[in-house]
Amino acid sequence: MKIVRVDSRVDDITYGAVEPEGIRLHLGSPFVAWEPTETVVAWDEVKLLAPVIPTKVIAVGRNYVDHAKEFDNKIPEEPLLFLKPPTSVIGPLQAIRIPKESSNVHHEAEMAIVVGKVARDVRIEDAGSYILGLTAANDVTARDLQRSDGQWTRAKGFDTFCPLGPAIDTNLDPLEGLQVTCRVNGELRQSGSTADMVFGVSELLSYASSIMTLLPGDVILTGTPAGVGPITAGDKVEVEIERIGVLMNTVVAR
Ligand code: ZN
């Protein structure tokens, strides 16, 4: 199933499931209990929202060997975690705003894990049952501030720096390799496979849950393959995860 969150203008219903004819609106949420309604809306009748509102976005640095090498970084022996604030999350088609503090903002195409239920000290072999599904993310990064600050809170934390979506796919086997690509104005910038991640989906969820309790709707970004590069006002950025979909965002000056 592909789950989307939409502004449907039908009461306060916001979750839906993708069907061939459109989006079937559901009562409730996939994290607690939900049930289908009779209403199916067309894609152009709704505004797509980020598929979740996380309490935190956990991200992992240098999880692809080829990307670590492009900045001469070592491969970490344990996952290198950092946080992005929930206020950085935007949905499909929304604009990434380039802050005035940076002159070198980069795209990072990533597959994202959506946590389905409260997770604390989860064993690697049990991790799958804590995952609602997978979606696409762009870990937008002010590369110059990442270097000058010596830590990553500002570089990774600006409003609009975490596009998510368009849908949560609940059927995919995270162990299967999925293509991760990024295009800017139609030009291919990044292409990798999640099969090449240093730490896999189950390891990342288990590791993160040993540090902090994961709540339903929390998101774990799984790292980016090589090819990161600048985006500037006027660009159109597309992150595509095979079988999940295309996350498209425009770029504007703040
Ligand atoms: Zn990243």
Side-chain angles (χ1 to χ4, degrees), residues 3-5 12-16 25-37:
I3 297 170
V4 291
R5 201 168 65 90
D12 53 358
I13 295 173
T14 54
Y15 278 100
L25 300 179
H26 281 56
L27 290 166
S29 100
F31 300 103
V32 188
W34 70 336
E35 53 179 288
T37 68

Side-chain angles (χ1 to χ4, degrees), residues 60 62-68 70-71 96 105-111 136-141 143 156 163 178-194 196-197 221-231 236-242 246-247:
V60 53
R62 301 166 196 164
N63 202 31
Y64 285 79
V65 174
D66 59 352
H67 170 61
E70 69 184 340
F71 293 131
I96 298 163
V105 172
H106 281 193
H107 56 80
E108 293 191 359
E110 313 204 358
M111 183 175 78
N138 192 342
D139 176 21
V140 179
T141 303
R143 196 69 68 199
K156 301 277 193 178
L178 299 172
Q179 275 305 119
V180 179
T181 54
C182 180
R183 290 180 295 274
V184 177
N185 304 324
E187 176 197 323
L188 185 67
R189 293 273 190 92
Q190 293 183 268
S191 179
S193 167
T194 59
D196 295 330
M197 296 196 303
L221 309 191
T222 58
T224 197
V228 299
I231 49 176
K236 191 178 97 170
V237 189
E238 292 168 289
V239 172
E240 179 166 7
I241 310 290
E242 181 184 4
V246 178
L247 170 64

Side-chain angles (χ1 to χ4, degrees), residues 37 51 74 84 103 105 126 160 179 200 202 220 247:
T37 68
K74 283 199 182 127
K84 289 170 83 79
S103 56
V105 172
D126 298 331
T160 75
Q179 275 305 119
S202 296
I220 304 173
L247 170 64

